């Protein structure tokens, strides 16, 4: 069986991420990883904090900490939040790890040996006030393409165009704000992407044809515009050092690799961290996932659209240029942006709901379900408190939570603390089984296709089918005249709860565990329920003891909604 390698874009180290970051990479990757594991696939789900580059130095300076200490603290803080969201990483590493330093330097040497790295003298911005060269993100100014006045020297956050610092209009130092800048000559290493352009185009043509339109169109746009040679070193104190055995002069000057060169390599580095942490476990063979693995591993990447160019073009170019058998992505799942009331979530501008605040407000499953049900796949989507409230109340509290509570509470009241027997299943149950099998097949198909909004719709339809069955059979009325029929209805509904507990786990793992633990089934080790298996609805036999779990999902009240608007901002007239 082909093994499944999954990576999500590395969250940057300079602060807690917002919900847009979560839904744009890590959360859908987790839903997919959980689903594949439940289907019996061998999965390796890898991520890490992206710790190098100018923003890390700037954030550390603002915090008054050495950059290494700042990054260590932020890594732990971010990991705690991702644990809170129940992201099931097999390893959550650090791009500052020794493993990543070793791999980055090795790959750079390979590229150099093959003629794809060149040392060039360039003219770079120097700050008289700060007495230093300014790397890309140490310079801010106005984007020449869209006019955004807070563009960075490497990329415009507004229009996503990749920039060089000298492109900026009215440039100023991000350290001091000084405009007393001049251009001086210095030396840097360049990745000769122009020499690899034909290979990258052929590779994208072969592998990108099945990618989402968003990912493939971004990759082809870059290729159409032409691949340019790009500087891959910077003048920073924090980063992967240029190896002195290959570039002694640059190493002596303290040059480090550009964060966008070493960060994607950290996917491999983090896998090696996972292997090294295994204490010699032979099953943790990192090379088997990344080296000569084209026929044994399917590699799926998850990321938002602003990260696509680097992963669809630059990182493949890097790996192709090594002339070595590194595994490259098979499927790149890309996402548009989740906006906040029509404006962008922004870490730098602290706009929107951040993941730590989200977990302080409500349990993770509320956010997991809402974000995936509204995932920005085909276009940008909009977070509003009104839409969030409606989704939680209608889908989670009413459709799923109320169903579970009604069935278990009424059955305990009427028949005691064991699943009632009742008569054999009849035509309504056979029809329900057929409907559930069809809906479950659709749910599987959408998850297999990585269509998360459609998968959430299919899951919601599964929950709704149980409510429709319950309303039609009305066991609270049935029990007055046909106790055996009411017992059958409740037994069938309890089997639906068990089915929901299994198949809902990718989206709402904590709530799924609570539903599953309601039934005393010590031999219940089932990982998944197939559509054919679901037809019978007989996984929880009569006589099984059960408990009524606490309320799965509390409704968000109007007072709650008003409080959220005040605390986080939001237009009460916004359309849900």
């Amino acid at each position: 069986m082909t093994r499944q390698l999954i990576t999500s874009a590395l969250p940057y180290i300079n602060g807690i991420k917002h919900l847009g970051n979560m839904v744009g990479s890590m959360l859908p990757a987790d839903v997919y990883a959980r689903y594949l594991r439940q289907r019996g696939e061998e999965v390796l789900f890898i991520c890490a904090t992206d710790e190098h580059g100018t923003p890390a130095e700037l954030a550390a300076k603002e915090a008054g900490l050495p950059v290494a200490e700042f990054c260590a603290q932020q890594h732990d803080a971010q990991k705690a939040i991702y644990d809170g969201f129940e992201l099931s990483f097999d390893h959550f590493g650090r791009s500052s790890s020794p493993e990543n330093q070793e791999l980055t330097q090795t790959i750079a040497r390979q590229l150099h040996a093959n003629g794809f790295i060149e040392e060039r003298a360039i003219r770079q911005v120097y700050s008289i006030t700060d007495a230093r060269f300014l790397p890309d993100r140490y310079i801010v100014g106005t984007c020449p393409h869209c006019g955004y006045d807070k563009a960075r020297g490497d990329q415009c956050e507004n229009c996503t165009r990749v920039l060089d610092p000298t492109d900026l209009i009215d440039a100023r130092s991000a350290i001091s704000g000084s405009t007393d800048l001049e251009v001086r000559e210095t030396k840097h290493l360049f990745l000769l992407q122009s020499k690899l352009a034909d290979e990258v185009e052929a590779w994208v043509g072969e592998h990108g044809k099945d990618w989402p339109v968003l990912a493939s169109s971004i990759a082809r746009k870059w290729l159409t515009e032409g691949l340019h040679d790009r500087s891959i070193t910077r003048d920073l104190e924090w980063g992967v050092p240029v190896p002195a055995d290959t570039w002694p002069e640059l190493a002596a000057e303290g040059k480090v690799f550009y964060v966008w060169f070493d960060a994607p390599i950290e996917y491999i580095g983090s896998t090696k961290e996972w292997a090294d942490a295994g204490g010699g476990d032979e099953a943790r063979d990192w090379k088997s996932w990344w080296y000569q693995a084209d026929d044994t591993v399917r590699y799926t990447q998850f990321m938002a659209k602003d990260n696509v160019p680097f992963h669809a073009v630059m990182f493949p170019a890097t790996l192709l240029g090594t002339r070595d058998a590194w595994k490259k992505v098979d499927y790149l799942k890309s996402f548009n942006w989740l906006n906040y009331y029509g404006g962008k979530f922004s870490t730098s501008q602290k706009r929107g709901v951040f993941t730590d605040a989200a977990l302080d407000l409500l349990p993770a499953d509320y956010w997991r379900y809402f974000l995936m049900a509204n995932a920005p796949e085909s276009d940008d989507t909009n977070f509003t408190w009104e839409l969030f409230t409606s989704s939680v109340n209608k889908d989670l509290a009413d459709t799923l939570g109320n169903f579970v509570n009604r069935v278990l509470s009424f059955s305990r009241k009427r028949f005691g603390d064991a699943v009632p027997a009742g008569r054999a299943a009849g035509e309504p149950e056979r029809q329900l089984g057929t409907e559930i099998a069809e809906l479950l097949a659709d749910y599987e198909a959408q998850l297999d296709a990585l269509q998360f909004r459609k998968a959430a719709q299919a899951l919601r339809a599964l929950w709704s089918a149980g409510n429709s069955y319950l309303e039609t059979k009305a066991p609270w009325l049935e029990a007055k005249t046909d106790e055996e029929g009411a017992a059958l209805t409740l037994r069938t509904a309890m089997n639906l709860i068990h089915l929901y507990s299994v198949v809902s786990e990718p989206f709402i793992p904590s709530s799924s565990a609570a539903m599953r633990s309601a039934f005393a089934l010590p031999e219940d080790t089932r990982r998944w329920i197939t559509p054919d298996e679901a037809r019978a609805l007989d996984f929880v036999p009569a006589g099984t003891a059960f408990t009524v779990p606490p309320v799965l999902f509390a409704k968000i009240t109007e007072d709650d909604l008003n409080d959220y608007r005040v605390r986080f901002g939001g237009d009460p007239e916004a359309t849900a």
Side-chain angles (χ1 to χ4, degrees):
M1 179 182 291
T2 301
R3 295 172 298 156
Q4 303 284 343
L5 175 62
I6 297 171
T7 64
S8 58
L10 309 186
Y12 199 68
I13 199 66
N14 64 336
I16 302 302
K17 304 298 110 177
H18 53 67
L19 294 182
N21 295 121
M22 179 64 68
V23 75
S25 60
M26 291 175 283
L27 181 55
D30 179 69
V31 170
Y32 189 55
R34 285 177 174 275
Y35 168 68
L36 290 178
R37 290 190 192 106
Q38 287 187 261
R39 297 303 304 273
E41 303 271 6
E42 184 179 355
V43 173
L44 184 63
F45 180 20
I46 293 293
C47 194
T49 39
D50 180 5
E51 300 188 8
H52 293 141
T54 312
E57 288 194 359
L58 291 174
K61 182 172 185 253
E62 185 177 345
L65 293 171
V67 65
E69 182 180 343
F70 171 81
C71 288
Q73 289 183 7
Q74 286 298 311
H75 171 84
D76 291 345
Q78 290 199 28
K79 186 178 186 302
I81 289 171
Y82 303 143
D83 288 345
F85 272 90
E86 297 197 57
L87 301 184
S88 59
F89 300 123
D90 289 289
H91 188 73
F92 185 70
R94 303 181 60 187
S95 69
S96 61
S97 69
E99 289 87 348
N100 192 46
Q101 175 171 314
E102 177 188 352
L103 282 163
T104 298
Q105 292 178 338
T106 296
I107 285 174
R109 292 186 189 101
Q110 289 178 314
L111 289 165
H112 175 65
N114 295 331
F116 295 120
I117 287 182
E118 181 177 278
E119 185 176 329
R120 293 181 180 176
I122 65 167
R123 296 179 65 76
Q124 187 175 339
V125 176
Y126 185 89
S127 170
I128 306 298
T129 302
D130 302 311
R132 61 174 293 174
F133 284 103
L134 297 180
D136 40 27
R137 290 199 178 192
Y138 273 64
I139 309 168
V140 293
T142 300
C143 174
H145 303 287
C146 71
Y148 181 60
D149 64 357
K150 295 182 180 64
R152 304 184 303 253
D154 64 339
Q155 187 177 30
C156 176
E157 184 183 58
N158 187 58
C159 70
T160 76
R161 293 290 291 266
V162 174
L163 302 170
D164 285 320
T166 53
D167 294 335
L168 294 172
I169 301 168
D170 298 326
R172 58 193 181 278
S173 167
I175 303 171
S176 60
S178 172
T179 58
D180 189 9
L181 310 176
E182 66 180 30
V183 177
R184 296 184 181 180
E185 187 173 280
T186 186
K187 290 182 179 179
H188 281 285
L189 299 180
F190 279 72
L191 177 63
L192 305 184
Q193 293 187 134
S194 59
K195 293 175 67 173
L196 290 159
D198 290 344
E199 293 178 53
V200 174
E201 186 166 8
W203 181 84
V204 170
E206 179 183 356
H207 293 83
K209 59 181 181 295
D210 296 324
W211 295 353
V213 172
L214 177 64
S216 59
S217 62
I218 290 174
R220 291 190 174 97
K221 179 176 181 290
W222 266 48
L223 290 167
T224 299
E225 292 177 353
L227 294 189
H228 303 289
D229 301 339
R230 291 195 62 81
S231 171
I232 57 168
T233 51
R234 294 293 185 269
D235 294 282
L236 293 170
E237 298 176 0
W238 177 246
V240 174
V242 169
D245 58 6
T246 309
W247 295 283
E249 182 182 344
L250 296 188
E253 294 175 1
K255 308 285 188 185
V256 301
F257 284 107
Y258 176 38
V259 63
W260 267 114
F261 182 75
D262 80 84
I265 296 171
E266 169 59 10
Y267 297 128
I268 310 173
S270 187
T271 308
K272 192 170 187 301
E273 292 172 51
W274 162 79
D276 291 346
D281 184 352
E282 292 183 1
R284 294 196 179 197
D285 179 6
W286 70 272
K287 283 188 176 180
S288 73
W289 290 92
W290 283 103
Y291 196 74
Q292 296 181 340
D294 282 348
D295 297 329
T296 61
V297 173
R298 176 173 169 79
Y299 176 21
T300 307
Q301 286 181 343
F302 289 79
M303 66 196 55
K305 59 186 177 184
D306 54 334
N307 284 332
V308 168
F310 300 98
H311 291 78
V313 176
M314 185 172 177
F315 188 38
T318 296
L319 295 182
L320 287 166
T322 66
R323 299 299 187 238
D324 221 336
W326 293 110
K327 177 66 182 177
K328 291 169 282 294
V329 66
D330 293 299
Y331 192 83
L332 198 161
K333 176 64 177 179
S334 53
F335 290 84
N336 287 282
W337 281 318
L338 176 71
N339 292 323
Y340 185 78
Y341 283 92
K344 290 181 180 177
F345 280 82
S346 173
T347 300
S348 60
Q349 298 177 30
K350 295 181 171 58
R351 174 180 172 81
V353 185
F354 287 73
T355 49
D356 55 347
L359 290 179
D360 287 342
L361 204 65
L362 290 165
D365 281 357
Y366 291 65
W367 302 104
R368 288 178 63 105
Y369 175 77
F370 171 80
L371 291 171
M372 297 316 302
N374 296 275
E377 291 176 291
S378 58
D379 51 20
D380 292 350
T381 58
N382 206 28
F383 179 95
T384 70
W385 287 109
E386 294 75 21
L387 179 61
F388 177 71
T389 298
S390 175
S391 182
V392 167
N393 288 352
K394 291 179 181 178
D395 296 348
L396 296 179
D398 286 345
T399 303
L400 178 59
N402 190 43
F403 176 80
V404 173
N405 185 262
R406 279 199 300 169
V407 168
L408 297 180
S409 296
F410 181 73
S411 187
R412 184 177 63 178
K413 179 180 178 181
R414 185 76 187 192
F415 297 103
D417 293 329
V419 177
R423 67 169 64 94
E427 184 59 27
E429 288 71 39
R430 283 189 287 274
Q431 290 180 4
L432 175 64
T434 298
E435 181 184 9
I436 291 296
E438 292 173 350
L439 291 171
L440 183 53
D442 180 41
Y443 179 55
E444 288 182 350
Q446 300 304 339
L447 284 173
D448 287 337
L450 287 82
Q451 294 293 318
F452 294 102
R453 291 182 72 166
K454 291 180 179 179
Q457 291 169 7
L459 182 59
R460 187 188 309 124
L462 277 166
W463 299 341
S464 295
N467 281 275
S468 297
Y469 170 75
L470 203 64
E471 291 300 320
T472 299
K473 294 296 294 290
W476 47 90
L477 299 177
E478 204 174 12
K480 296 177 181 179
T481 59
D482 183 2
E483 191 164 271
E484 288 291 292
L488 164 63
T489 299
L490 291 168
R491 189 182 81 236
T492 302
M494 289 186 188
N495 272 278
L496 279 176
I497 293 172
H498 180 266
L499 181 142
Y500 296 160
S501 76
V502 175
V503 303
S504 302
E505 183 189 327
F507 283 81
I508 48 172
S510 179
S511 304
S512 292
M515 286 188 280
R516 195 160 187 171
S517 64
F519 301 102
L521 293 169
E523 302 302 318
D524 180 22
T525 58
R526 182 175 296 278
R527 300 171 74 176
W528 191 252
I529 298 174
T530 68
D532 284 342
E533 292 170 333
R535 291 178 187 276
L537 293 172
D538 60 356
F539 299 106
V540 184
T544 301
F546 71 89
T547 58
V548 181
V551 174
L552 292 179
F553 300 100
K555 279 195 169 184
I556 297 173
T557 68
E558 189 66 30
D559 286 343
D560 294 331
L561 176 58
N562 289 332
D563 177 54
Y564 301 158
R565 289 169 178 155
V566 171
R567 290 169 60 186
F568 295 93
D571 179 5
E573 302 301 321
T575 301

